[in-house]
């Protein structure tokens, strides 16, 4: 590890734009999107990532906005792969475009994929995301399994009175498919999502509902991933379930990640908002060595967030990517 504070995980948002408009994120309602010139070029992203790698990052997650709306995404993954020291490149996507891309993404060097899906019912899916794309997402999930991604994780946000009636159906998927269904606690990130605060379902409540129906669940370790999720297996299931308790637990002390958005803004902490901007350096005359020192400086800021920052500023999830 090149940094002495154990940061080995970078989440890179490839775009602030999305092809869905989920009710808790509402990217299409933003007053302004970044212009082409404001967004880092692929070459700038690769240079930035290679500096983070030099500083100790070994795992990269591509997110957005929706990462798969970027053109020629497989070339970008190949470029990241050529950096060399990355142990894993993963992606979080809504899966709408995965059907046609899963095989090529795997071939390009993508190791893992997380697919967000908040309903298994067509009408409900449309009312949560604004679009009638459930069939496309399903085709994307199947294509990812066929392409050999392992594990394929499904990210689900259950909201009281909105889609929590589907909790057990999501669990049932793990009997049919070798997928890991992860229930993510909803947390408000902007003004609009604050209105949904009452919809939060805490992990503990959900666990009780699941065990009440299916019986005991067995905690498992060794699931590939870099986050604070806890994983469990149900008897005779092919896959597994996971819980991410972002609202009811605090992971600050063990947080190993930093975030870089598509405009070059770095967030040492999800709740800090963007605090540093690497774009002027990437577009200036600074050497790689100077960039490296800058990134190490950002990493050292992280230790202060570790002390417990979970009541910090709000930020747009739709541009920083979760
Ligand atoms: N477009 C991609 C997708 O849909 O997966 C990547 C971006 S999305 C912002 C990344 C993840 O953040 C998704 O799994 C989404 O469910 C989660 N997310 C967004 N807003 C959230 C919130 N308010 N609370 C918890 N998770 C959230």
């Amino acid at each position: 590890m090149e940094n002495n504070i154990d940061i080995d995980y970078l989440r890179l948002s490839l775009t602030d734009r999305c092809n869905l408009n989920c009710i808790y994120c509402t990217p299409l309602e933003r007053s302004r999107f970044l212009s082409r010139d404001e967004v880092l070029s692929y070459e700038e992203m690769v240079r930035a990532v290679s500096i983070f790698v030099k500083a100790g990052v070994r795992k990269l997650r591509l997110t957005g906005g929706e990462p798969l709306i970027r053109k020629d995404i497989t070339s970008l993954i190949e470029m990241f792969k050529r950096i060399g020291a990355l142990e894993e490149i993963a992606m979080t996507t809504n899966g709408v475009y995965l059907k046609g891309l899963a095989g090529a993404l795997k071939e390009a060097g993508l190791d893992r994929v997380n697919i967000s899906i908040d309903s298994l019912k067509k009408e409900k899916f449309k009312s949560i995301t604004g679009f009638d794309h459930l069939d496309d997402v399903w085709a994307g999930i199947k294509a990812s399994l066929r392409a050999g991604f392992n594990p394929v994780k499904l990210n689900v946000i259950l909201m009281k009175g909105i889609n929590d009636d589907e909790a057990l159906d999501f669990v049932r998927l793990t009997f049919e498919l070798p997928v890991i269904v992860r229930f993510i606690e909803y947390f408000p990130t902007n003004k609009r999502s604050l209105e949904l605060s009452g919809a939060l379902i805490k992990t503990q409540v959900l666990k009780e509902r699941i065990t009440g129906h299916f019986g005991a669940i067995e905690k498992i370790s060794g699931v590939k991933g870099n986050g604070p999720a806890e994983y469990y297996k149900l008897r005779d299931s092919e896959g597994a379930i996971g819980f991410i308790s972002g609202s009811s637990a605090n992971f600050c002390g063990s947080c190993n990640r930093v975030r870089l958005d598509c405009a070059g803004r770095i967030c040492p902490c999800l709740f800090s908002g963007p605090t540093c901007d690497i774009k002027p350096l990437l577009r200036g005359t600074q050497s790689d060595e100077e960039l490296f020192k800058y990134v190490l400086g950002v990493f050292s800021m992280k230790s202060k967030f570790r002390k417990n920052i979970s009541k910090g500023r709000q930020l747009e999830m739709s541009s920083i990517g979760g």
Side-chain angles (χ1 to χ4, degrees):
M1 184 85 41
E2 299 294 330
N3 61 79
N4 54 10
I5 37 181
D6 301 339
I7 296 167
D8 66 351
Y9 179 30
L10 175 68
R11 294 180 68 99
L12 170 62
S13 169
L14 299 183
T15 174
D16 60 335
R17 294 167 196 247
C18 195
N19 50 344
L20 296 184
N21 195 36
C22 300
I23 49 175
Y24 46 79
C25 198
T26 52
L28 302 186
E29 283 156 37
R30 295 177 70 184
S31 53
R32 176 181 174 273
F33 291 97
L34 293 167
S35 66
R36 181 186 280 249
D37 191 49
E38 287 170 296
V39 174
L40 300 182
S41 67
Y42 280 3
E43 287 70 24
E44 287 167 335
M45 283 184 183
V46 173
R47 183 169 175 223
V49 170
S50 71
I51 303 291
F52 277 91
V53 167
K54 193 171 172 210
V57 162
R58 292 292 172 269
K59 289 154 192 166
L60 175 67
R61 175 166 296 276
L62 309 176
T63 175
E66 172 47 39
L68 292 184
I69 64 175
R70 292 297 309 256
K71 284 208 181 84
D72 210 9
I73 179 91
T74 50
S75 304
L76 180 63
I77 290 166
E78 285 165 4
M79 288 158 84
F80 287 136
K81 205 72 189 170
R82 282 200 288 273
I83 293 174
L86 281 169
E87 288 161 12
E88 180 181 274
I89 305 177
M91 179 183 284
T92 303
T93 169
N94 60 36
V96 171
Y97 294 140
L98 256 183
K99 182 181 170 201
L101 281 169
L105 289 168
K106 185 88 176 81
E107 240 171 73
L110 189 71
D111 297 295
R112 292 198 299 108
V113 67
N114 291 9
I115 302 164
S116 307
I117 175 167
D118 295 326
S119 177
L120 302 168
K121 298 176 184 166
K122 257 171 116 60
E123 273 313 306
K124 184 68 65 70
F125 183 94
K126 189 174 171 193
S127 72
I128 293 174
T129 65
F131 292 87
D132 186 15
H133 279 315
L134 178 61
D135 291 345
D136 298 313
V137 177
W138 256 117
I141 293 169
K142 297 271 174 69
S144 302
L145 289 167
R146 273 199 308 276
F149 285 109
N150 183 23
V152 171
K153 293 181 182 166
L154 306 185
N155 287 351
V156 183
I157 298 185
L158 288 180
M159 293 162 282
K160 220 178 278 173
I162 298 176
N163 60 349
D164 60 326
D165 57 318
E166 296 188 59
L168 303 182
D169 292 337
F170 273 110
V171 175
R172 278 185 197 101
L173 283 183
T174 69
F175 291 100
E176 295 156 23
L177 296 170
V179 291
I180 298 183
V181 172
R182 305 193 316 163
F183 296 107
I184 302 177
E185 273 184 358
Y186 170 76
F187 55 87
T189 58
N190 60 22
K191 241 200 204 147
R192 295 177 301 274
S193 59
L194 262 174
E195 290 158 19
L196 280 167
S197 292
L200 167 69
I201 300 178
K202 291 199 175 159
T203 292
Q204 192 49 38
V205 172
L206 189 56
K207 269 188 196 164
E208 280 162 21
R209 208 188 288 176
I210 292 170
T211 52
H213 187 86
F214 292 102
I217 52 178
E218 182 199 342
K219 194 161 185 177
I220 52 172
S221 55
V223 174
K224 281 190 212 158
N226 313 297
E230 286 185 334
Y231 292 103
Y232 296 83
K233 208 157 169 62
L234 286 89
R235 238 182 73 201
D236 302 328
S237 65
E238 281 211 54
I241 56 173
F243 300 95
I244 301 182
S245 315
S247 273
S248 57
N250 181 320
F251 313 117
C252 300
S254 58
C255 182
N256 62 340
R257 59 191 62 189
V258 283
R259 294 170 169 85
L260 173 64
D261 83 358
C262 61
R265 295 170 294 209
I266 306 173
C267 289
C269 163
L270 181 57
F271 298 98
S272 70
T275 44
C276 312
D277 187 357
I278 201 173
K279 187 164 62 187
L281 283 77
L282 286 167
R283 293 188 177 172
T285 53
Q286 277 78 4
S287 65
D288 282 0
E289 195 51 35
E290 286 167 300
L291 283 165
F292 173 62
K293 284 192 187 134
Y294 180 79
V295 167
L296 282 187
V298 175
F299 281 12
S300 67
M301 287 167 68
K302 176 105 183 158
S303 48
K304 106 172 162 221
F305 295 123
R306 284 218 172 111
K307 295 198 178 104
N308 182 359
I309 181 120
S310 61
K311 290 191 176 58
R313 276 191 280 158
Q314 290 170 2
L315 78 163
E316 286 293 339
M317 199 68 133
S318 59
S319 63
I320 200 67

